[in-house]
Amino acid sequence: MYLIYLRTAINSISSRVRETAVGDAGGISIIGNSVLISTNTNLDAGTRAQGDGKAISIKATDNITLDDDALLIAQVGPDATGNAGTITLSANTIEIKGDSTIIGNTRGQGNASLVSIIAKDSVIITEETSISSRVRETAVGDAGGISITGNSILINGESRLDAGTVGQGNGQDITINAVKNITLDDGVSIKAEVGTDAAGNAGNINLTADSLVITDDARLTVRSNGQGNPGNIEIAANTIELNKGEISAATAFGNFGNINLEVSENITLRNQSLISAQALNNANGGNIVIDTSFIVAFPNQNNDIIADAVGGNGGNININAEALFGIQERPLNDLSNDINVSSEFGLDGTVSIFTPNTNNLQTEINLPNSIIESEQTVAQACQSDRASGIASGLNIKGKGGVPFIPTNPFNSEIILVDEPITARDIKPIQTSMGNIYPARGIVKTEDGKIILTAYATDNLNSRTPHMSANCS
């Protein structure tokens, strides 16, 4: 393995199909321990004539760095007929910065390039980096898509990822997978859009991570401005934090775009954050499905979850969560945190919030002021004996033997009473196994055990409980 170091103001490596040629390009492959490409270095494996472009492949056991206007191109030129090759970067760590650019577009008759970035550890894309795999204005073909995989992924510094279409063809998916965290910061834009004059569908945006942070005007967007359908946004994570961040699926024409968030723990919204499946013109609002434990919106910061519309119908918002804090369904307001599916001229959508075993919105609960009187409870339980008309009751007589807490054992050796107890003449119950006598007496042994007897025990240190039809 070798250290590959390309750094010169005029350096260019080209393996492309030129304007007058008929045939395929050859491709570019770089392998080393560490690879640095910087200072206006240009790697080009596209096609400008009759033939396919080929792959650009850069592999390193340690790191790959693109810096200072480095440029990788594998695109179909304006007058070309053919497909672009793939662009692949694979290393332990990958950093793309300093206005560097990766272009896998199509401008002619053919499909754009797939851009694939794979790191065992970290991926850092910063300092106005641009990565695109688009169908451009003059093209007829599909975009190639963008795929980024790493242990942790940071995209910031107003960098751009674009896999949309503004020509005659479909956009493709942007997929970002991280084992740990994805952080989108500082004006980052990740979009899969259909342009105004385009004829085609947008791709989807798919993100998977342990934690996802979208902050400081960073945004994920699928959108249709032309005669096509927007894609969907699918996110699976343990936590999502939006801090002045946006997740948006918007449409001006065609069908609606949807947002699906599968979050095992919390979704946190603060500082004018937005989750939106909004519709413009006569289009219908999209659907938002959120499955999470908690949604926490910081109060009075204009954090919204909306699927509203103008001329069409509002969309649907379905939330499955243990609780929502600081946000509720109501008309949009610049200060409050709102859930809204209204339509200005069409029909409103529906909001469904399912919170198992809890209130669907956590707000103040007024408890009843009425207090149950103990006398009322006793009066209902111990009413008059229906047969004799004598009021029932519970009387404790005697000295000692009765514990302060009913479940405690007797605390005296003998049970004394002030007056004799008259035993009733109780007949035995006849059964096939013989006569069964109800307990008629009680005896406490020397070791503290209580024994029920079938005979009266008036003179044997005992007491016979008062029996009642209603109270026992």
Side-chain angles (χ1 to χ4, degrees), residues 318-341:
N318 298 310
I319 298 174
N320 182 9
E322 293 184 25
L324 279 67
F325 297 97
I327 189 168
Q328 65 184 46
E329 182 184 0
R330 58 187 164 195
L332 293 174
N333 185 286
D334 289 340
L335 296 178
S336 58
N337 303 321
D338 311 315
I339 301 172
N340 186 272
V341 291

Side-chain angles (χ1 to χ4, degrees), residues 66-228:
L66 274 62
D67 190 12
D68 192 15
D69 292 306
L71 176 62
L72 308 183
I73 304 177
Q75 72 173 346
V76 179
D79 300 320
T81 300
N83 299 319
T86 60
I87 299 175
T88 303
L89 278 63
S90 178
N92 186 56
T93 62
I94 298 173
E95 185 173 11
I96 308 171
K97 59 183 180 179
D99 290 310
S100 294
T101 305
I102 298 176
I103 300 175
N105 301 330
T106 176
R107 295 175 177 269
Q109 308 293 311
N111 297 326
S113 170
L114 168 65
V115 178
S116 179
I117 298 172
I118 305 168
K120 292 182 179 179
D121 190 8
S122 62
V123 176
I124 299 174
I125 299 172
T126 186
E127 297 175 4
E128 300 185 11
T129 288
S130 175
I131 300 174
S132 64
S133 176
R134 306 174 65 199
V135 180
R136 298 302 301 266
E137 292 83 351
T138 58
V140 177
D142 294 336
I146 299 171
S147 176
I148 301 174
T149 302
N151 190 47
S152 63
I153 297 171
L154 169 64
I155 306 175
N156 67 2
E158 298 186 356
S159 296
R160 301 284 184 269
L161 274 65
D162 191 343
T165 175
V166 291
Q168 306 298 306
N170 298 319
Q172 293 297 325
D173 294 353
I174 297 175
T175 301
I176 303 175
N177 295 323
V179 176
K180 293 183 179 179
N181 54 281
I182 297 174
T183 302
L184 310 177
D185 186 24
D186 188 21
V188 163
S189 174
I190 298 176
K191 61 182 181 178
E193 298 186 350
V194 178
T196 303
D197 298 322
N201 300 320
N204 303 315
I205 295 178
N206 306 306
L207 274 66
T208 303
D210 179 64
S211 68
L212 170 63
V213 177
I214 305 175
T215 184
D216 196 11
D217 291 318
R219 62 186 62 189
L220 300 174
T221 307
V222 292
R223 184 182 180 96
S224 174
N225 294 317
Q227 302 303 313

Side-chain angles (χ1 to χ4, degrees), residues 425-441:
D425 184 14
I426 302 176
K427 296 181 180 181
I429 301 172
Q430 296 180 355
T431 69
S432 60
M433 301 180 63
N435 295 336
I436 298 177
Y437 290 87
R440 300 177 62 193

